Amino acid sequence: MSNSSTISTPVETKVVQTSLLKDFLALIKIGIVNSNMITTFTGVFLAIQFTNQSFLRNLDLLFYALVGSGLIIAGSAALNNLIDRDIDPVMSRTKSRPTVTGRFKATHVLTLAFTFIVVGEALLFTASWQAAAWGLAGIVSYVVLYSMWSKRKYVSNTIVGSISGAIPPLIGWAAIEPTVGMGAWALFLIMFAWQPPHFYALAMRRTEEYRAADIPMLPVVKGFARTKKSILVWVLFLFPIPFLLTELGTGFLVLATALNIGWLICAMKGFRAKDDMKWATSMFIYSLNYMTILFVSMIIFSIFI
């Protein structure tokens, strides 16, 4: 699909009055900020544990990493909303964003976004220049490579977008240990491989909305059958990655493998599912639980290294 295609007329909806705080949180995509803060914290915590440092003595670096990464993610999300304000009215889950309703003017969004990014980068630089460099890489990959370049042009947009989503743990790790090691890259690979099946399941549920917005998501371009095969491949790709974290012990490896087997079973059920939407919803929910359990378990098991 190309950007020259005509975007469908937005669906008429009742105007719902929302609070300024709610609109602000929608602008910065607070859900994405919170989830990425978890992976950033995991990067910080594992770096401390793997290098035998004191957690309490690194509270300042933890602050710089968490607040800095939170700000650059929020700023980047605001820019993404601004970039997508022409297609968001078409989709029911995005039509109420403040950049669509006009609650926030474009100039105000730009000012807020760049302020957040500059302050966030300054905080990351205070931790280490490597953390700031990884932060900048995340900003560029999300705003430029994904939002401005691939999202509306290529079916591989989800994979491109997965790069930025996998960078937060590298930021957290680099704040403590600038020379990121295998543990940091393991976190990156887990996040990178987790995102395609997670977002493909979401895209299946929103296929008609993405089609109306002329966004070439995999289910729109290739259909559900191909999407199910791609989900299966990405889930299989996750299986060996936890073994890059052998320092966390056998218990972690067993848990991670069990989670992967569970996701694989769910993925395989899709090939004989009678209700694709119900199956996609179950895959989406499993992916959320998978990430939460896996990253929390990393923190817990690392304490006993």
Side-chain angles (χ1 to χ4, degrees):
M1 294 185 180
S2 65
N3 288 330
S4 60
S5 299
T6 301
I7 297 176
S8 301
T9 302
V11 178
E12 293 185 4
T13 56
K14 295 181 179 180
V15 177
V16 179
Q17 294 296 327
T18 55
S19 67
L20 180 63
L21 176 60
K22 185 175 181 180
D23 280 337
F24 170 75
L25 295 179
L27 177 69
I28 65 172
K29 300 186 179 181
I30 192 62
I32 292 178
V33 173
N34 289 337
S35 61
N36 280 285
M37 293 280 275
I38 294 174
T39 62
T40 302
F41 177 81
T42 304
V44 170
F45 198 85
L46 261 61
I48 291 174
Q49 297 298 102
F50 281 27
T51 56
N52 297 313
Q53 298 186 49
S54 169
F55 179 78
L56 294 179
R57 292 180 180 178
N58 285 287
L59 287 178
D60 57 336
L61 298 182
L62 173 64
F63 173 81
Y64 297 142
L66 289 182
V67 178
S69 61
L71 286 173
I72 66 170
I73 293 167
S76 298
L79 289 177
N80 172 266
N81 276 339
L82 191 63
I83 293 168
D84 286 349
R85 68 188 185 281
D86 63 322
I87 58 175
D88 280 344
V90 182
M91 305 179 67
S92 62
R93 73 182 182 88
T94 59
K95 64 191 176 186
S96 298
R97 285 177 174 170
T99 43
V100 175
T101 62
R103 182 66 175 264
F104 297 139
K105 295 181 180 179
T107 53
H108 295 165
V109 174
L110 280 173
T111 301
L112 177 72
F114 282 112
T115 299
F116 276 14
I117 289 173
V118 170
V119 174
E121 277 291 291
L123 289 173
L124 293 179
F125 188 82
T126 304
S128 73
W129 70 263
Q130 290 90 342
W134 283 117
L136 182 60
I139 296 167
V140 171
S141 60
Y142 183 64
V143 176
V144 179
L145 296 183
Y146 173 67
S147 301
M148 299 177 66
W149 175 60
S150 67
K151 182 174 182 177
R152 306 191 195 195
K153 293 182 178 180
Y154 305 108
V155 71
S156 59
N157 55 13
T158 302
I159 299 174
V160 174
S162 296
I163 298 173
S164 59
I167 286 179
L170 293 181
I171 297 174
W173 191 290
I176 302 298
E177 179 53 52
T179 305
V180 296
M182 184 58 69
W185 286 110
L187 297 180
F188 174 88
L189 289 173
I190 289 172
M191 283 302 302
F192 181 77
W194 171 83
Q195 289 174 92
H198 169 76
F199 285 109
Y200 287 157
L202 175 62
M204 287 182 65
R205 298 167 61 198
R206 304 287 185 177
T207 297
E208 293 310 313
E209 292 185 36
Y210 282 119
R211 194 190 310 279
D214 198 26
I215 300 176
M217 297 297 289
L218 186 62
V220 175
V221 179
K222 301 292 184 179
F224 284 3
R226 171 63 183 279
T227 302
K228 292 177 181 179
K229 292 177 182 177
S230 295
I231 288 175
L232 180 64
V233 169
W234 282 104
V235 171
L236 287 172
F237 184 66
L238 277 166
F239 270 74
I241 303 177
F243 289 89
L244 298 175
L245 295 168
T246 54
E247 295 94 333
L248 294 180
T250 303
F252 168 74
L253 297 178
V254 171
L255 175 61
T257 301
L259 288 171
N260 285 332
I261 291 174
W263 207 0
L264 177 63
I265 292 174
C266 288
M268 294 178 67
K269 287 182 178 179
F271 294 102
R272 28 180 223 278
K274 295 181 179 179
D275 187 337
D276 285 335
M277 292 300 100
K278 183 177 180 181
W279 173 79
T281 299
S282 67
M283 285 291 290
F284 180 75
I285 293 174
Y286 189 97
S287 69
L288 294 175
N289 291 325
Y290 175 99
M291 185 52 55
T292 302
I293 295 172
L294 190 65
F295 272 73
V296 171
S297 70
M298 289 179 191
I299 296 172
I300 295 173
F301 281 106
S302 71
I303 296 174
F304 301 100
I305 292 177

CSV table of all heavy atoms in Angstrom, one decimal, residues 237-282:
chain,number,residue,atom,x,y,z
A,237,PHE,N,11.3,-18.6,17.8
A,237,PHE,CA,12.6,-17.8,17.9
A,237,PHE,C,12.9,-17.5,19.3
A,237,PHE,O,14.1,-17.3,19.7
A,237,PHE,CB,12.5,-16.6,17.0
A,237,PHE,CG,13.8,-15.8,17.0
A,237,PHE,CD1,14.9,-16.3,16.4
A,237,PHE,CD2,13.9,-14.5,17.6
A,237,PHE,CE1,16.1,-15.6,16.3
A,237,PHE,CE2,15.0,-13.8,17.5
A,237,PHE,CZ,16.2,-14.3,16.9
A,238,LEU,N,11.9,-17.4,20.2
A,238,LEU,CA,12.1,-17.0,21.6
A,238,LEU,C,12.7,-18.1,22.4
A,238,LEU,O,13.4,-17.9,23.4
A,238,LEU,CB,10.8,-16.6,22.2
A,238,LEU,CG,10.3,-15.2,22.0
A,238,LEU,CD1,8.8,-15.1,22.4
A,238,LEU,CD2,11.1,-14.2,22.8
A,239,PHE,N,12.6,-19.4,22.0
A,239,PHE,CA,13.0,-20.5,22.8
A,239,PHE,C,14.4,-20.5,23.2
A,239,PHE,O,14.7,-20.7,24.4
A,239,PHE,CB,12.6,-21.8,22.0
A,239,PHE,CG,11.3,-22.4,22.3
A,239,PHE,CD1,10.1,-21.8,21.8
A,239,PHE,CD2,11.1,-23.5,23.2
A,239,PHE,CE1,8.9,-22.2,22.1
A,239,PHE,CE2,9.8,-24.0,23.5
A,239,PHE,CZ,8.7,-23.3,22.9
A,240,PRO,N,15.4,-20.3,22.4
A,240,PRO,CA,16.8,-20.4,22.8
A,240,PRO,C,17.3,-19.1,23.5
A,240,PRO,O,18.3,-19.2,24.2
A,240,PRO,CB,17.6,-20.5,21.5
A,240,PRO,CG,16.7,-19.9,20.5
A,240,PRO,CD,15.3,-20.1,20.9
A,241,ILE,N,16.6,-18.0,23.4
A,241,ILE,CA,17.1,-16.7,23.9
A,241,ILE,C,17.4,-16.7,25.5
A,241,ILE,O,18.4,-16.2,25.9
A,241,ILE,CB,16.3,-15.5,23.5
A,241,ILE,CG1,16.2,-15.5,22.0
A,241,ILE,CG2,16.9,-14.2,24.1
A,241,ILE,CD1,15.2,-14.4,21.5
A,242,PRO,N,16.4,-17.3,26.3
A,242,PRO,CA,16.7,-17.3,27.7
A,242,PRO,C,18.0,-18.0,28.1
A,242,PRO,O,18.5,-17.7,29.2
A,242,PRO,CB,15.5,-18.0,28.3
A,242,PRO,CG,14.4,-17.8,27.3
A,242,PRO,CD,15.1,-17.8,25.9
A,243,PHE,N,18.5,-18.9,27.3
A,243,PHE,CA,19.7,-19.6,27.6
A,243,PHE,C,20.9,-18.8,27.5
A,243,PHE,O,22.0,-19.2,27.8
A,243,PHE,CB,19.8,-20.9,26.7
A,243,PHE,CG,18.8,-21.9,27.1
A,243,PHE,CD1,17.6,-22.0,26.5
A,243,PHE,CD2,19.1,-22.9,28.0
A,243,PHE,CE1,16.6,-22.9,26.8
A,243,PHE,CE2,18.2,-23.9,28.4
A,243,PHE,CZ,16.9,-23.9,27.8
A,244,LEU,N,20.8,-17.5,27.1
A,244,LEU,CA,21.8,-16.5,27.1
A,244,LEU,C,21.9,-15.9,28.5
A,244,LEU,O,22.9,-15.2,28.8
A,244,LEU,CB,21.6,-15.4,26.1
A,244,LEU,CG,21.6,-15.8,24.6
A,244,LEU,CD1,21.2,-14.6,23.8
A,244,LEU,CD2,22.9,-16.4,24.2
A,245,LEU,N,21.0,-16.3,29.4
A,245,LEU,CA,20.9,-15.8,30.7
A,245,LEU,C,21.1,-16.9,31.7
A,245,LEU,O,20.4,-17.0,32.7
A,245,LEU,CB,19.6,-15.0,31.0
A,245,LEU,CG,19.4,-13.8,30.2
A,245,LEU,CD1,17.9,-13.3,30.3
A,245,LEU,CD2,20.3,-12.7,30.7
A,246,THR,N,22.1,-17.8,31.5
A,246,THR,CA,22.3,-18.9,32.4
A,246,THR,C,22.7,-18.5,33.8
A,246,THR,O,22.5,-19.3,34.7
A,246,THR,CB,23.4,-19.8,31.8
A,246,THR,OG1,24.6,-19.0,31.5
A,246,THR,CG2,22.9,-20.5,30.5
A,247,GLU,N,23.2,-17.3,33.9
A,247,GLU,CA,23.6,-16.8,35.2
A,247,GLU,C,22.4,-16.8,36.2
A,247,GLU,O,22.5,-16.8,37.4
A,247,GLU,CB,24.2,-15.4,35.2
A,247,GLU,CG,25.5,-15.3,34.4
A,247,GLU,CD,25.3,-15.0,32.9
A,247,GLU,OE1,24.2,-15.3,32.4
A,247,GLU,OE2,26.2,-14.4,32.3
A,248,LEU,N,21.2,-16.7,35.6
A,248,LEU,CA,20.0,-16.6,36.5
A,248,LEU,C,19.6,-18.0,37.0
A,248,LEU,O,18.7,-18.0,37.9
A,248,LEU,CB,18.8,-16.0,35.7
A,248,LEU,CG,19.0,-14.6,35.2
A,248,LEU,CD1,17.8,-14.1,34.4
A,248,LEU,CD2,19.2,-13.7,36.5
A,249,GLY,N,20.2,-19.0,36.6
A,249,GLY,CA,20.0,-20.3,37.2
A,249,GLY,C,19.0,-21.2,36.4
A,249,GLY,O,18.3,-20.7,35.5
A,250,THR,N,19.0,-22.4,36.8
A,250,THR,CA,18.1,-23.4,36.2
A,250,THR,C,16.6,-23.1,36.4
A,250,THR,O,15.8,-23.3,35.5
A,250,THR,CB,18.4,-24.8,36.8
A,250,THR,OG1,19.8,-25.2,36.6
A,250,THR,CG2,17.6,-25.9,36.1
A,251,GLY,N,16.3,-22.6,37.5
A,251,GLY,CA,14.9,-22.3,37.8
A,251,GLY,C,14.3,-21.3,36.8
A,251,GLY,O,13.2,-21.5,36.3
A,252,PHE,N,15.1,-20.3,36.5
A,252,PHE,CA,14.7,-19.3,35.5
A,252,PHE,C,14.5,-19.9,34.1
A,252,PHE,O,13.6,-19.7,33.4
A,252,PHE,CB,15.6,-18.1,35.4
A,252,PHE,CG,15.4,-17.2,34.2
A,252,PHE,CD1,14.3,-16.4,34.2
A,252,PHE,CD2,16.2,-17.3,33.1
A,252,PHE,CE1,14.1,-15.5,33.1
A,252,PHE,CE2,16.0,-16.5,32.0
A,252,PHE,CZ,14.9,-15.6,32.0
A,253,LEU,N,15.5,-20.7,33.7
A,253,LEU,CA,15.5,-21.4,32.4
A,253,LEU,C,14.3,-22.3,32.3
A,253,LEU,O,13.6,-22.3,31.2
A,253,LEU,CB,16.8,-22.2,32.2
A,253,LEU,CG,18.0,-21.3,32.1
A,253,LEU,CD1,19.3,-22.2,31.9
A,253,LEU,CD2,18.0,-20.3,31.0
A,254,VAL,N,13.9,-23.0,33.3
A,254,VAL,CA,12.7,-23.9,33.3
A,254,VAL,C,11.5,-23.0,33.2
A,254,VAL,O,10.6,-23.4,32.4
A,254,VAL,CB,12.7,-24.7,34.6
A,254,VAL,CG1,11.3,-25.5,34.7
A,254,VAL,CG2,13.8,-25.7,34.6
A,255,LEU,N,11.4,-22.0,33.9
A,255,LEU,CA,10.2,-21.1,33.9
A,255,LEU,C,10.1,-20.5,32.5
A,255,LEU,O,9.0,-20.5,31.9
A,255,LEU,CB,10.3,-20.0,34.9
A,255,LEU,CG,9.2,-18.9,34.9
A,255,LEU,CD1,7.8,-19.6,35.1
A,255,LEU,CD2,9.4,-17.9,36.0
A,256,ALA,N,11.2,-19.9,32.0
A,256,ALA,CA,11.1,-19.3,30.6
A,256,ALA,C,10.7,-20.3,29.6
A,256,ALA,O,9.9,-20.0,28.7
A,256,ALA,CB,12.5,-18.7,30.3
A,257,THR,N,11.3,-21.5,29.7
A,257,THR,CA,10.9,-22.5,28.7
A,257,THR,C,9.5,-22.9,28.8
A,257,THR,O,8.8,-23.1,27.8
A,257,THR,CB,11.8,-23.8,28.8
A,257,THR,OG1,13.2,-23.4,28.7
A,257,THR,CG2,11.5,-24.8,27.8
A,258,ALA,N,9.0,-23.0,30.0
A,258,ALA,CA,7.5,-23.4,30.2
A,258,ALA,C,6.6,-22.3,29.6
A,258,ALA,O,5.6,-22.6,29.0
A,258,ALA,CB,7.3,-23.5,31.7
A,259,LEU,N,7.0,-21.0,29.8
A,259,LEU,CA,6.2,-19.9,29.2
A,259,LEU,C,6.3,-20.0,27.7
A,259,LEU,O,5.3,-19.8,27.0
A,259,LEU,CB,6.8,-18.6,29.7
A,259,LEU,CG,6.6,-18.2,31.2
A,259,LEU,CD1,7.4,-16.9,31.5
A,259,LEU,CD2,5.1,-17.9,31.4
A,260,ASN,N,7.4,-20.3,27.2
A,260,ASN,CA,7.5,-20.4,25.7
A,260,ASN,C,6.7,-21.6,25.2
A,260,ASN,O,6.1,-21.5,24.1
A,260,ASN,CB,9.0,-20.6,25.3
A,260,ASN,CG,9.8,-19.3,25.4
A,260,ASN,OD1,9.2,-18.2,25.2
A,260,ASN,ND2,11.1,-19.4,25.6
A,261,ILE,N,6.7,-22.7,25.9
A,261,ILE,CA,5.9,-23.9,25.5
A,261,ILE,C,4.4,-23.5,25.5
A,261,ILE,O,3.7,-23.9,24.6
A,261,ILE,CB,6.2,-25.1,26.4
A,261,ILE,CG1,7.6,-25.6,26.1
A,261,ILE,CG2,5.2,-26.2,26.1
A,261,ILE,CD1,8.1,-26.7,27.1
A,262,GLY,N,4.0,-22.8,26.6
A,262,GLY,CA,2.6,-22.4,26.7
A,262,GLY,C,2.2,-21.5,25.5
A,262,GLY,O,1.1,-21.7,25.0
A,263,TRP,N,3.1,-20.6,25.1
A,263,TRP,CA,2.8,-19.7,24.0
A,263,TRP,C,2.8,-20.4,22.7
A,263,TRP,O,2.0,-20.1,21.8
A,263,TRP,CB,3.8,-18.5,24.0
A,263,TRP,CG,3.2,-17.3,23.4
A,263,TRP,CD1,2.0,-17.1,22.9
A,263,TRP,CD2,3.9,-16.0,23.2
A,263,TRP,NE1,1.8,-15.8,22.4
A,263,TRP,CE2,3.0,-15.1,22.6
A,263,TRP,CE3,5.2,-15.6,23.5
A,263,TRP,CZ2,3.4,-13.8,22.3
A,263,TRP,CZ3,5.5,-14.3,23.2
A,263,TRP,CH2,4.6,-13.4,22.6
A,264,LEU,N,3.7,-21.4,22.6
A,264,LEU,CA,3.7,-22.2,21.4
A,264,LEU,C,2.4,-23.0,21.2
A,264,LEU,O,1.9,-23.1,20.1
A,264,LEU,CB,4.9,-23.1,21.4
A,264,LEU,CG,5.1,-24.1,20.2
A,264,LEU,CD1,5.3,-23.3,18.9
A,264,LEU,CD2,6.2,-25.1,20.4
A,265,ILE,N,1.9,-23.6,22.3
A,265,ILE,CA,0.7,-24.3,22.2
A,265,ILE,C,-0.5,-23.4,21.8
A,265,ILE,O,-1.3,-23.8,21.0
A,265,ILE,CB,0.4,-25.0,23.6
A,265,ILE,CG1,1.4,-26.1,23.9
A,265,ILE,CG2,-1.0,-25.6,23.6
A,265,ILE,CD1,1.3,-26.7,25.3
A,266,CYS,N,-0.5,-22.2,22.4
A,266,CYS,CA,-1.5,-21.3,22.0
A,266,CYS,C,-1.4,-20.9,20.5
A,266,CYS,O,-2.5,-20.8,19.8
A,266,CYS,CB,-1.4,-20.0,22.9
A,266,CYS,SG,-1.9,-20.2,24.6
A,267,ALA,N,-0.2,-20.7,20.1
A,267,ALA,CA,0.0,-20.3,18.7
A,267,ALA,C,-0.5,-21.4,17.7
A,267,ALA,O,-1.1,-21.2,16.7
A,267,ALA,CB,1.5,-20.0,18.4
A,268,MET,N,-0.2,-22.7,18.1
A,268,MET,CA,-0.6,-23.8,17.2
A,268,MET,C,-2.1,-24.0,17.2
A,268,MET,O,-2.6,-24.5,16.2
A,268,MET,CB,0.1,-25.1,17.7
A,268,MET,CG,1.6,-25.0,17.6
A,268,MET,SD,2.5,-26.5,18.2
A,268,MET,CE,1.9,-27.8,17.1
A,269,LYS,N,-2.7,-23.6,18.3
A,269,LYS,CA,-4.2,-23.7,18.3
A,269,LYS,C,-4.8,-22.8,17.2
A,269,LYS,O,-6.0,-23.1,16.8
A,269,LYS,CB,-4.7,-23.4,19.7
A,269,LYS,CG,-4.5,-24.5,20.7
A,269,LYS,CD,-5.1,-24.0,22.1
A,269,LYS,CE,-4.9,-25.1,23.1
A,269,LYS,NZ,-5.4,-24.7,24.5
A,270,GLY,N,-4.1,-21.8,16.9
A,270,GLY,CA,-4.7,-20.9,15.9
A,270,GLY,C,-5.0,-21.5,14.5
A,270,GLY,O,-5.8,-21.0,13.8
A,271,PHE,N,-4.2,-22.6,14.2
A,271,PHE,CA,-4.4,-23.2,12.9
A,271,PHE,C,-5.7,-24.0,12.8
A,271,PHE,O,-6.1,-24.3,11.7
A,271,PHE,CB,-3.2,-24.1,12.6
A,271,PHE,CG,-1.9,-23.3,12.4
A,271,PHE,CD1,-1.0,-23.2,13.4
A,271,PHE,CD2,-1.7,-22.6,11.2
A,271,PHE,CE1,0.2,-22.5,13.2
A,271,PHE,CE2,-0.5,-21.8,11.1
A,271,PHE,CZ,0.4,-21.8,12.1
A,272,ARG,N,-6.3,-24.3,13.9
A,272,ARG,CA,-7.6,-25.0,13.8
A,272,ARG,C,-8.7,-24.2,14.6
A,272,ARG,O,-9.7,-24.8,15.0
A,272,ARG,CB,-7.5,-26.4,14.4
A,272,ARG,CG,-6.5,-26.7,15.4
A,272,ARG,CD,-6.5,-28.1,15.8
A,272,ARG,NE,-6.3,-28.2,17.3
A,272,ARG,CZ,-5.2,-28.2,17.9
A,272,ARG,NH1,-4.1,-28.0,17.2
A,272,ARG,NH2,-5.1,-28.2,19.2
A,273,ALA,N,-8.4,-22.9,14.9
A,273,ALA,CA,-9.4,-22.1,15.6
A,273,ALA,C,-10.6,-21.8,14.7
A,273,ALA,O,-10.4,-21.5,13.5
A,273,ALA,CB,-8.7,-20.8,16.0
A,274,LYS,N,-11.8,-21.9,15.2
A,274,LYS,CA,-13.0,-21.6,14.5
A,274,LYS,C,-13.3,-20.1,14.6
A,274,LYS,O,-14.0,-19.5,13.7
A,274,LYS,CB,-14.1,-22.4,15.0
A,274,LYS,CG,-14.0,-23.9,14.8
A,274,LYS,CD,-15.2,-24.7,15.3
A,274,LYS,CE,-15.0,-26.2,15.1
A,274,LYS,NZ,-16.1,-27.0,15.6
A,275,ASP,N,-12.8,-19.5,15.7
A,275,ASP,CA,-13.1,-18.1,15.9
A,275,ASP,C,-11.7,-17.4,15.9
A,275,ASP,O,-11.0,-17.4,17.0
A,275,ASP,CB,-13.8,-17.8,17.2
A,275,ASP,CG,-14.3,-16.4,17.3
A,275,ASP,OD1,-13.6,-15.5,16.8
A,275,ASP,OD2,-15.2,-16.2,18.1
A,276,ASP,N,-11.3,-16.8,14.8
A,276,ASP,CA,-10.0,-16.1,14.8
A,276,ASP,C,-9.8,-15.0,15.8
A,276,ASP,O,-8.8,-14.7,16.3
A,276,ASP,CB,-9.7,-15.6,13.4
A,276,ASP,CG,-9.3,-16.8,12.4
A,276,ASP,OD1,-8.8,-17.8,12.9
A,276,ASP,OD2,-9.5,-16.6,11.2
A,277,MET,N,-10.9,-14.2,16.0
A,277,MET,CA,-10.8,-13.1,16.9
A,277,MET,C,-10.7,-13.5,18.3
A,277,MET,O,-9.9,-12.9,19.1
A,277,MET,CB,-12.1,-12.2,16.7
A,277,MET,CG,-12.3,-11.5,15.4
A,277,MET,SD,-10.9,-10.4,15.0
A,277,MET,CE,-9.9,-11.4,13.9
A,278,LYS,N,-11.4,-14.6,18.7
A,278,LYS,CA,-11.2,-15.1,20.0
A,278,LYS,C,-9.8,-15.6,20.3
A,278,LYS,O,-9.2,-15.4,21.3
A,278,LYS,CB,-12.3,-16.2,20.2
A,278,LYS,CG,-12.2,-16.8,21.7
A,278,LYS,CD,-13.3,-17.8,21.8
A,278,LYS,CE,-13.3,-18.4,23.2
A,278,LYS,NZ,-14.4,-19.4,23.4
A,279,TRP,N,-9.3,-16.3,19.2
A,279,TRP,CA,-7.9,-16.8,19.4
A,279,TRP,C,-6.9,-15.7,19.4
A,279,TRP,O,-6.0,-15.7,20.3
A,279,TRP,CB,-7.6,-17.7,18.2
A,279,TRP,CG,-6.1,-18.1,18.1
A,279,TRP,CD1,-5.6,-19.1,18.8
A,279,TRP,CD2,-5.1,-17.5,17.3
A,279,TRP,NE1,-4.2,-19.2,18.6
A,279,TRP,CE2,-3.9,-18.2,17.6
A,279,TRP,CE3,-5.1,-16.5,16.4
A,279,TRP,CZ2,-2.7,-17.9,17.0
A,279,TRP,CZ3,-3.9,-16.2,15.8
A,279,TRP,CH2,-2.7,-16.9,16.1
A,280,ALA,N,-7.1,-14.7,18.6
A,280,ALA,CA,-6.1,-13.5,18.6
A,280,ALA,C,-6.2,-12.8,20.0
A,280,ALA,O,-5.1,-12.4,20.5
A,280,ALA,CB,-6.5,-12.6,17.5
A,281,THR,N,-7.3,-12.7,20.6
A,281,THR,CA,-7.5,-12.1,21.9
A,281,THR,C,-6.7,-12.9,22.9
A,281,THR,O,-6.0,-12.3,23.8
A,281,THR,CB,-8.9,-12.0,22.3
A,281,THR,OG1,-9.6,-11.1,21.3
A,281,THR,CG2,-9.1,-11.4,23.7
A,282,SER,N,-6.9,-14.2,22.9
A,282,SER,CA,-6.2,-15.1,23.8
A,282,SER,C,-4.6,-15.0,23.7
A,282,SER,O,-3.9,-15.0,24.6
A,282,SER,CB,-6.6,-16.5,23.7
A,282,SER,OG,-6.2,-17.1,22.4
